[in-house]
Amino acid sequence: MNGGPSGFHNAPVTKAFVITSALFTVVFGIQGRSSKLGLSYQDIFEKFRIWKLIMSTFSFSSTPELMFGLYLLYYFRVFERQIGSNKYSVFIFFSGSVSLLLEVFLLSLLKDTTTNLLTSGPYGLIFASFIPFYLDIPVSTRFRVFGVNFSDKSFIYLAGVQLLLSSWKRSIFPGVCGIIAGSLYRLNILGIRKAKFPEFVASFFSRLSFPSFSNSPPPAPGRNIVGTISPNTGRRAEASLYLKFAQ
């Protein structure tokens, strides 16, 4: 299984998000501030460091988290290709905002004085994306390793588990908040799945002059998110995924 053609072809929003997240993480890492971007009760309710709500949404707190996080964000570009950049922008905004609100609510509920109770990073978007990944992306290959059954989707799940457990409860809480946000989007709360931004918002990302990571040509006929299959089957699978995720 793959996410379609390599690079960010037809995924400008994902490209902008990945580059922004990488740059923020590197910059704060050089300054030695990455580990200080996590959210805590004191930051939000006592010191009112609202800026950390925004920074913590983009910047990972460590290099391993950055690697696994960007890998997953890069793979999930398949959803932008299927539903379009506009609706995917809505998905990013909704999942990130809801996840962030849930994290703030959790901080107010626990009132834990531990420094940086919640780790930083786009956990909301990443783990919200596992909902359509689980429900809409079909398994194309199954295999066994030492008697244990695996599928081509197992590698994505393993990367997700690694990221979820990377900082123990500090990363588990944001991950769970992301899963809840993705579930609410799936349930079409307030008709969110039909919402769209003004066209200029999505087109803005298409005009960004970030250098491409790959100049790969468009995929050959028969290649799509479910592997190498016939063109007719590929079109049916893509249409089915669009209907499930976008409507």
Side-chain angles (χ1 to χ4, degrees):
M1 181 184 65
N2 56 64
S6 61
F8 291 101
H9 181 68
N10 289 335
V13 176
T14 301
K15 178 181 179 180
F17 197 98
V18 166
I19 293 176
T20 300
S21 182
L23 287 177
F24 275 37
T25 303
V26 171
V27 169
F28 284 114
I30 293 174
Q31 296 175 349
R33 299 170 58 191
S34 293
S35 60
K36 300 177 182 179
L37 292 177
L39 300 179
S40 67
Y41 180 82
Q42 296 96 319
D43 287 332
I44 305 304
F45 297 99
E46 294 180 1
K47 299 179 181 179
F48 302 105
R49 294 176 176 172
I50 305 302
W51 63 270
K52 292 189 72 173
L53 293 175
I54 300 175
M55 294 298 100
S56 66
T57 303
F58 292 97
S59 180
F60 290 97
S61 62
S62 68
T63 300
E65 291 177 61
L66 174 66
M67 294 174 60
F68 284 103
L70 293 189
Y71 168 71
L72 291 170
L73 287 171
Y74 178 75
Y75 176 82
F76 289 142
R77 74 198 186 285
V78 63
F79 298 126
E80 180 180 356
R81 289 171 173 168
Q82 294 303 315
I83 67 176
S85 296
N86 197 312
K87 283 193 173 183
Y88 191 68
S89 299
V90 174
F91 176 70
I92 291 177
F93 179 79
F94 179 83
S95 59
S97 299
V98 171
S99 178
L100 197 59
L101 288 174
L102 291 173
E103 291 178 29
V104 171
F105 174 74
L106 181 63
L107 289 174
S108 67
L109 190 65
L110 296 177
K111 295 183 179 180
D112 194 325
T113 58
T114 302
T115 302
N116 298 337
L117 176 64
L118 304 178
T119 192
S120 62
Y123 282 75
L125 171 60
I126 291 173
F127 286 95
S129 299
F130 272 99
I131 300 300
F133 175 75
Y134 172 75
L135 295 173
D136 298 336
I137 301 295
V139 172
S140 60
T141 305
R142 297 183 184 276
F143 55 93
R144 294 170 64 89
V145 177
F146 299 115
V148 180
N149 292 320
F150 291 93
S151 73
D152 51 337
K153 296 176 66 174
S154 299
F155 299 106
I156 304 300
Y157 287 126
L158 290 174
V161 170
Q162 174 64 38
L163 184 62
L164 186 68
L165 301 178
S166 58
S167 298
W168 194 225
K169 70 176 183 178
R170 294 179 62 245
S171 54
I172 290 178
F173 287 149
V176 171
C177 289
I179 292 173
I180 294 174
S183 299
L184 292 176
Y185 183 90
R186 182 75 182 191
L187 293 173
N188 199 25
I189 299 298
L190 302 177
I192 188 62
R193 292 172 68 178
K194 294 184 178 181
K196 285 187 176 183
F197 284 125
E199 194 59 37
F200 74 87
V201 175
S203 63
F204 167 77
F205 294 100
S206 300
R207 295 168 184 167
L208 291 178
S209 56
F210 290 128
S212 297
F213 287 179
S214 172
N215 294 320
S216 300
R223 293 287 298 182
N224 52 63
I225 61 170
V226 293
T228 305
I229 54 179
S230 67
N232 291 334
T233 304
R235 285 191 288 270
R236 288 196 298 270
E238 292 182 359
S240 176
L241 175 59
Y242 177 85
L243 291 173
K244 290 178 181 178
F245 190 68
Q247 295 182 354

